[in-house]
Amino acid sequence: MTPMTMRWRKTRALVVTLLSLGWLAAEPAAARPLDEVRDSGTIRIAVYRDFAPFSEVNDGGFSGVDVDIGRAIAQALGVGVEFMPVTAGESVDDDLRNAVWKGHYLGGGVADVMLHVPVDRRFAMRNKLVAIFGAYARMDLVMAGADGAAGSGLDPDAIGETRIGVELATLADVYLLSAASGALRDNVVHYSSTIAAAEALARGEVDVAVGARAEVEAGIKGRRDAFTLTPLEIPGSSWLIGAAVDEHSRDLGYAVGDALAELVEQGKVAEAFAARSLSYLPPDPE
């Protein structure tokens, strides 16, 4: 064993020990009730770090649909806002643990509220340490393409050499690879994000892009009129997004839920989507 290897092992052992004792935590992970948030004058809201068009960090600042909504929530509560960027983990369950009720093992504390959380009864039941509420929009999966490609591009009998762009390891990807006993597999082109797949569609690299509507629309940007968007009718292709707080901060959750309901009713959430030329699907279909 080399001296460098020995030093690395000793350092790693020390770090693990200190973490287990809580000595390296940057700040404690603790839920805050509504009064404490108001007394502090600031609400801390968790948003995903690299998730355009909903939230992203640019030049040290935050922008996106969820960021606009977070600022509006803070205004409704009469406080300032601090955004906490969250790197997506293996699952949203992991994200809730790191951002809301426990905190990341590297420190950083927790947020008072997290946005863009699936509002689903079964999902909520398996995440009992948080309260999930306040649906403010509906997401759905779509196929985008020109000249009818979006409508026929996924037909195994008419697929031909149609190229289908999709984000790797998403629900849409799993569907495309397994549909019709794998008949579409050779037509699938993988990208790092749905926006990247939609940008490839706009450049003519693929004939169809499949993914969440808002992300597809963000990718094709000014060429929206050149493509037809068709809903992808598969189980799980439509879902609600809302907010989450620690189970012990339910009074804060009630206040944020009321604020979100007002923002939806007043059209403020729709405005946040429209400002980026994105379609808005309300949480309650009219």
Side-chain angles (χ1 to χ4, degrees):
M1 183 181 297
T2 67
M4 181 176 294
T5 301
M6 292 179 64
R7 285 197 300 271
W8 180 85
R9 289 191 174 181
K10 289 179 180 179
T11 300
R12 181 178 181 274
L14 176 60
V15 170
V16 170
T17 300
L18 292 177
L19 283 172
S20 67
L21 295 174
W23 290 358
L24 291 186
E27 56 184 285
R32 298 198 300 173
L34 177 61
D35 286 346
E36 188 172 331
V37 169
R38 283 182 164 149
D39 289 344
S40 74
T42 303
I43 186 170
R44 195 180 197 199
I45 298 180
V47 294
Y48 284 105
R49 183 185 304 275
D50 186 19
F51 189 36
F54 294 99
S55 52
E56 56 185 333
V57 182
N58 292 314
D59 299 324
F62 293 83
S63 62
V65 172
D66 289 337
V67 173
D68 288 355
I69 293 171
R71 291 191 176 112
I73 290 171
Q75 184 177 15
L77 296 182
V79 296
V81 61
E82 173 192 352
F83 289 104
M84 171 182 165
V86 177
T87 299
E90 292 293 325
S91 68
V92 183
D93 309 68
D94 293 340
D95 301 338
L96 288 171
R97 180 190 66 238
N98 292 334
V100 179
W101 62 266
K102 184 176 182 181
H104 199 279
Y105 67 87
L106 291 178
V110 294
D112 299 307
V113 180
M114 182 174 177
L115 295 179
H116 215 97
V117 178
V119 179
D120 176 81
R121 181 174 175 274
R122 287 174 295 181
F123 176 71
M125 287 182 65
R126 74 169 187 252
N127 286 278
K128 298 183 182 298
L129 295 177
V130 300
I132 299 173
F133 59 92
Y136 56 86
R138 179 175 293 277
M139 303 289 102
D140 69 339
L141 297 179
V142 299
M143 302 171 286
D147 301 325
S152 61
L154 304 188
D155 181 357
D157 296 326
I159 188 68
E161 297 182 357
T162 298
R163 298 158 299 175
I164 309 170
V166 67
E167 180 179 349
L168 179 67
T170 58
L171 173 61
D173 180 33
V174 172
Y175 168 74
L176 291 172
L177 295 179
S178 60
S181 300
L184 308 178
R185 187 181 300 270
D186 292 339
N187 300 80
V188 173
V189 181
H190 286 121
Y191 292 90
S192 61
S193 69
T194 298
I195 286 184
E199 290 173 339
L201 172 64
R203 292 193 300 266
E205 295 177 8
V206 295
D207 305 294
V208 175
V210 182
R213 181 186 298 270
E215 295 167 71
V216 169
E217 291 180 338
I220 57 181
K221 296 179 181 176
R223 298 199 60 198
R224 173 67 177 82
D225 293 341
F227 302 104
T228 300
L229 271 62
T230 305
L232 185 62
E233 301 291 351
I234 63 173
S237 62
S238 177
W239 65 98
L240 297 173
I241 56 169
V245 298
D246 187 289
E247 170 66 18
H248 299 97
S249 297
R250 282 187 173 270
D251 62 339
L252 175 62
Y254 296 144
V256 173
D258 289 342
L260 282 169
E262 289 185 9
L263 292 173
V264 170
E265 184 177 354
Q266 295 169 357
K268 299 296 184 181
V269 176
E271 289 176 8
F273 279 80
R276 296 165 179 81
S277 300
L278 305 175
S279 300
Y280 174 61
L281 304 180
D284 297 316
E286 296 180 359

